[in-house]
Amino acid sequence: MDHERAWDWLRFSQAQQRALAQAGQRDRGELLARALVTLEEARLAHQEELLLHRERRLQLDTCTQLRDKVQQWRARQEEVSQLEALMAARRQEEEEGRLGRRRDNEASVRSHQRDKLKEFHARQQDRRERLERRDEERLALLRSSMEEQARRDQERVRYREETLQLRRQEREAGELQRQREQEETRSRLEALRSQVAVVAEADPERMMGETEAWRSRQKEGCEPQKPLYNINTYTDSQIVSDPRVRVEQALREAGLHQTPYARQVLADIRPPRAPRRDTVSAGLRTDPTPGSYEGR
């Protein structure tokens, strides 16, 4: 009975150890999935920050170009205003000269200087006409240049608005795609959690009560050579025959089991038998190559 009680406690301890190992593997898978999701979110945030920085830089360049154009437009406006003021002054001067000539003509109708005054006034008139034609040509050229520049600015503004609208649509589409990917990731995680969730109910009486094997031995009698339970799992010799277990034990004894070198060595070792296809998770890689999750 002492041996039987010790054997029961040994089996219970082994079951608890296996349950703890399975829980550790499950928690490690969930932690890895959360780390992948966090890295993906960080990558998307970094890309969005780069896009915002690029757009801010483009906006600063556009503002600089617009400021230069406004300064050029102001300079042209000032030049146009000066030309118009000069033309108005010349017209006023011409009007005053006309009035003066009239007075001079009336005063010197009978003088001998009439011809000289006419010649002088003709030269002055010719000079004023040349200056006025030159100013009018310059004003027309400036106005046509300003109209052409205004037309180009309108086209550029229209093109910039279309570009901004297209970028806004692309950003919204990317945000929708990212939300869909997050929803798919959460749904896969929920599916994984539902697959590895514990569904057994607590039953202390069943755990501490007599087992079917004990009751059957009480009925049939105890046979020393007969195994206590039917083995439905791997034996210790089968577990030790796996090269990955021996390598991990050697690395643990050497104190190297938590180094990157140990993880790389264990990832490169193939299992003695390839895993079945129905045990491969849909969220992991399907090819049992060295370094994949199925090969570990």
Side-chain angles (χ1 to χ4, degrees):
M1 291 177 66
D2 293 339
H3 176 71
E4 184 67 25
R5 188 179 298 104
W7 182 256
D8 290 340
W9 277 108
L10 177 61
R11 293 289 297 176
F12 175 72
S13 301
Q14 289 178 353
Q16 290 293 327
Q17 184 177 4
R18 285 195 299 271
L20 290 176
Q22 292 176 359
Q25 292 179 357
R26 183 178 64 254
D27 295 340
R28 183 172 179 270
E30 292 180 356
L31 179 61
L32 181 60
R34 292 178 181 175
L36 292 176
V37 172
T38 304
L39 290 175
E40 183 65 21
E41 292 178 353
R43 184 181 68 82
L44 294 175
H46 181 63
Q47 290 181 355
E48 185 175 358
E49 184 178 357
L50 289 178
L51 180 61
L52 290 176
H53 179 70
R54 194 177 300 112
E55 290 181 354
R56 192 178 299 112
R57 185 63 178 273
L58 179 61
Q59 186 177 6
L60 290 176
D61 295 340
T62 304
C63 291
T64 303
Q65 294 177 2
L66 290 176
R67 185 174 60 253
D68 296 339
K69 290 180 180 180
V70 169
Q71 291 178 357
Q72 294 177 1
W73 180 79
R74 287 179 178 175
R76 292 179 181 176
Q77 286 291 104
E78 291 177 358
E79 186 177 359
V80 170
S81 300
Q82 292 176 0
L83 289 174
E84 290 178 351
L86 289 175
M87 292 176 65
R90 289 194 187 97
R91 292 192 186 97
Q92 183 67 25
E93 183 181 356
E94 182 180 0
E95 185 66 24
E96 292 177 356
R98 188 180 299 111
L99 294 175
R101 285 194 304 272
R102 183 179 299 172
R103 288 192 299 268
D104 293 340
N105 288 330
E106 291 176 356
S108 61
V109 168
R110 299 183 182 274
S111 66
H112 62 280
Q113 296 178 353
R114 182 182 301 173
D115 296 335
K116 293 182 179 180
L117 288 174
K118 288 182 178 180
E119 184 180 356
F120 173 74
H121 292 314
R123 287 197 301 269
Q124 289 294 105
Q125 181 67 23
D126 186 33
R127 179 175 174 274
R128 282 192 293 270
E129 289 178 356
R130 287 198 305 269
L131 291 175
E132 187 173 0
R133 284 195 300 269
R134 187 188 64 181
D135 294 338
E136 289 178 354
E137 291 176 358
R138 176 62 179 171
L139 181 61
L141 180 61
L142 288 175
R143 287 179 176 174
S144 63
S145 177
M146 292 176 63
E147 291 176 358
E148 181 66 22
Q149 185 66 32
R151 185 182 61 80
R152 292 180 180 176
D153 292 341
Q154 291 178 358
E155 292 179 355
R156 290 178 181 176
V157 169
R158 191 181 304 109
Y159 173 74
R160 193 172 294 111
E161 290 178 354
E162 293 177 356
T163 304
L164 291 177
Q165 183 66 21
L166 181 59
R167 289 180 180 175
R168 191 178 299 107
Q169 293 177 358
E170 291 178 354
R171 193 183 302 112
E172 292 176 357
E175 183 67 20
L176 291 176
Q177 180 65 23
R178 185 175 67 82
Q179 293 178 0
R180 286 195 295 270
E181 291 178 356
Q182 290 179 356
E183 291 295 334
E184 292 178 358
T185 303
R186 283 195 291 270
S187 63
R188 288 197 296 268
L189 290 176
E190 290 297 333
L192 289 175
R193 292 191 186 95
S194 62
Q195 290 178 3
V196 299
V198 178
V199 296
E201 297 180 356
D203 191 359
E205 295 180 358
R206 179 174 176 270
M207 181 179 66
M208 300 302 297
E210 296 180 355
T211 61
E212 293 292 338
W214 173 261
R215 286 193 291 269
S216 63
R217 283 196 300 273
Q218 290 296 327
K219 295 178 181 180
E220 298 177 359
C222 181
E223 297 182 7
Q225 300 299 328
K226 184 178 180 180
L228 296 177
Y229 301 96
N230 294 327
I231 298 177
N232 296 323
T233 180
Y234 299 102
T235 62
D236 54 350
S237 60
Q238 291 176 347
I239 295 175
V240 175
S241 64
D242 193 340
R244 295 175 296 178
V245 176
R246 295 197 299 273
V247 172
E248 193 273 339
Q249 185 177 4
L251 291 173
R252 185 179 295 276
E253 291 177 356
L256 302 174
H257 61 286
Q258 294 183 352
T259 59
Y261 170 75
R263 288 193 292 270
Q264 183 65 30
V265 169
L266 292 175
D268 293 338
I269 298 177
R270 293 180 176 273
R273 186 175 61 184
R276 297 182 304 179
R277 293 184 178 274
D278 57 347
T279 60
V280 178
S281 175
L284 302 176
R285 297 173 53 184
T286 57
D287 50 340
T289 56
S292 63
Y293 296 103
E294 290 82 8
R296 296 184 181 179

